[in-house]
Amino acid sequence: MPHQRPPARLSAPARRRRPGRRRWGRWAAGTLSFAVLATSCGGWAVLNGVGASLDRVDAIGGGPDRPADDGASTFLVVGTDERAGIPESTLKDVLHAGGESCHCTDTMMVVQLSADRGRATVVSVPRDSYVDIPAHQDPATGRQVAAAKGKINAAYGMGGAPLAVRTVEQNTGLRIDHYVEVNFLAFVSTVDALGGVEVCTPKPLKDDYSGLDLPAGTTRLDGAGALRYVRARHVDGSSDLGRMHRQQKFLAQLLRRAASGGTLLDPAKLTGVLDTVLRSVKVDKGLGNAELLDFAGRLRDLSASDADFATVPLSEVDHQVPGWGSTVLWDEKGAAALFEAVRAGRPLTGAAAAGPSASPVAGTIPPAQVRVQVLNGAGVQGLGFRVDAELRKAGFATTGTPSNAPSNALGDGPAATRTVIRYDPRWDESVKTLAAALPDAELDPVPGLGPTFQVVAGSEYRAPADPAASSAVSSAASSAAPAARAGVPEKAGPAASPTAVAGAESGSEISCPS
């Protein structure tokens, strides 16, 4: 790209530094400051000045086979093996990235900001995943290529960014709204613009292939050192899986670094970082200034516990395929559960997601102000009336007129086993109260459902737990009650998830200790 410049500090050595007393709470404050700047005249000037020079690619296509729009903002972030603009000597001696570019995606992450603005989720996709690659046109020959199986990182080389996006959408069921492509130069420049990023490790990490030589403890890495850290695949036997976990840890630290040291609080520093980042990446054509401002607005309410990191679960890590070599296979059940949770905007980690045995945190809305419609999803005669009566006895404002769930009204649909609570995410406090009474129920967010919750009773339905906890409302509840009675949406935020995704970690769990 003609507007890219080799970073001035590529050869700077990594510097060890004792961990400072930084708090994740500063991330929230920093993102708020970023949002203020972005929505100010100065912010518009920065974005307008850089936006025109952004390298854009037509990555997001149309078509009836795309997943439905779930209201979330979902980004496909890929790291490519592109080395254009970097001197050969720097590639070999500093970055330890010799050889030819593979014209493929070296790293692939799905980053989602939930529809209710309450969560950020990062899912790493193994680059050797053996998946379905959709039919496409070969960009070199113009010929049509039939759908076939292949490594997910090869889709980029076979059809560019559009095919990479379509492949991820088809295999995850997630609708990709925006595309961001980062190459070696963009990564190094961004880290250097932030003044380096600290990483921590309980034991030394050494990889002769990437040039990584990291002592135990906490070390501040410059851009070149950080690239070695996230590219290392021969530190131990974990290979690409270990590398993805380090990438997630680094991203958590990168966000932490961006909010520390006054970067987001200092317009001059922030302008420099934005200029570096936005001039060094490729983005889809739909990611304009308005979308960047919306992205800033969505960030401001996030905290560390609101950021979850996960990797697509695998069933086999060395599946040999003729012509493709060693590939990895997804655990179909685990992957489906992960992507379903992401689509629903549910948290992947935390005490609220520990499982049915964990007691959900009661909300501040008393049961009497939680209106419930009961639906019989199991097809068991009389179940709807029993559930309605038991919920009403527990203090909830039931409609008194239960009915059959649509799929079972005529007995021609599958009988539900697990009870489901369908709720509008805007009433996130009320749903906590209901979930505390029905701890075994699955939560299903339905934007636009309104203030009346639906309890779809399954065959495994159990009577409400002791409502004392959910009825013990603090003084703050009385002030919230008028809004609930009037049908005014409560403060947006994610409701508790009844199940955790295996292997998922929160940003606070994988960041370096303060």
Side-chain angles (χ1 to χ4, degrees), residues 140-172:
T141 65
R143 295 178 179 177
Q144 281 297 123
V145 179
K149 288 275 192 178
K151 289 185 178 181
I152 199 167
N153 72 330
Y156 180 88
M158 297 166 69
L163 186 58
V165 169
R166 289 177 55 209
T167 301
V168 170
E169 286 189 332
Q170 178 171 308
N171 288 276
T172 66

Side-chain angles (χ1 to χ4, degrees), residues 216-395:
T218 301
T219 305
R220 173 166 291 183
L221 301 177
D222 63 2
L227 184 64
R228 292 192 288 269
Y229 177 78
V230 300
R231 293 189 70 239
R233 301 181 68 229
H234 303 277
V235 171
D236 50 37
S238 61
S239 188
D240 200 40
L241 299 180
R243 186 183 72 142
M244 286 188 293
H245 192 250
R246 284 192 297 277
Q247 290 170 352
Q248 293 175 353
K249 292 176 65 175
F250 185 83
L251 181 56
Q253 287 297 111
L254 185 68
L255 293 171
R256 189 177 189 179
R257 174 59 180 163
S260 68
T263 301
L264 297 182
L265 304 177
D266 185 330
K269 289 184 179 180
L270 180 58
T271 298
V273 172
L274 284 175
D275 181 78
T276 299
V277 174
L278 297 181
R279 292 182 188 276
S280 303
V281 300
K282 289 182 180 180
V283 300
D284 65 277
K285 292 183 177 180
L287 191 59
N289 289 358
E291 287 71 27
L292 288 172
L293 289 173
D294 179 67
F295 177 75
R298 285 172 177 258
L299 282 178
R300 64 184 162 193
D301 293 327
L302 295 178
S303 64
S305 59
D306 295 325
D308 289 342
F309 293 80
T311 299
V312 179
L314 305 175
S315 62
E316 190 173 345
V317 296
D318 187 21
H319 178 65
Q320 295 292 328
V321 179
W324 291 103
S326 178
T327 69
V328 298
L329 297 181
W330 292 359
D331 179 326
E332 293 185 7
K333 184 176 180 180
L338 168 62
F339 296 130
E340 192 279 329
V342 175
R343 276 193 300 275
R346 295 199 302 266
L348 307 182
T349 61
S357 60
S359 299
V361 178
T364 58
I365 307 300
Q369 293 169 14
V370 180
R371 186 169 176 80
V372 180
Q373 169 69 46
V374 175
L375 301 175
N376 185 347
V380 177
Q381 187 174 4
L383 178 62
F385 285 95
R386 178 163 68 89
V387 174
D388 185 279
E390 290 177 345
L391 285 174
R392 189 162 61 253
K393 183 179 180 180

Side-chain angles (χ1 to χ4, degrees), residues 433-510:
T433 302
L434 186 55
L438 300 174
D440 294 323
E442 177 181 351
L443 297 180
D444 180 21
V446 183
L449 184 63
T452 299
F453 297 81
Q454 293 180 349
V455 172
V456 184
S459 59
E460 297 178 351
Y461 162 81
R462 293 199 308 174
D466 183 359
S470 56
S471 299
V473 183
S474 65
S475 58
S478 59
S479 62
R485 284 195 299 269
V488 177
E490 298 153 3
K491 179 183 178 295
S497 172
T499 56
V501 172
E505 300 172 290
S506 70
S508 55
E509 289 176 314
I510 63 176

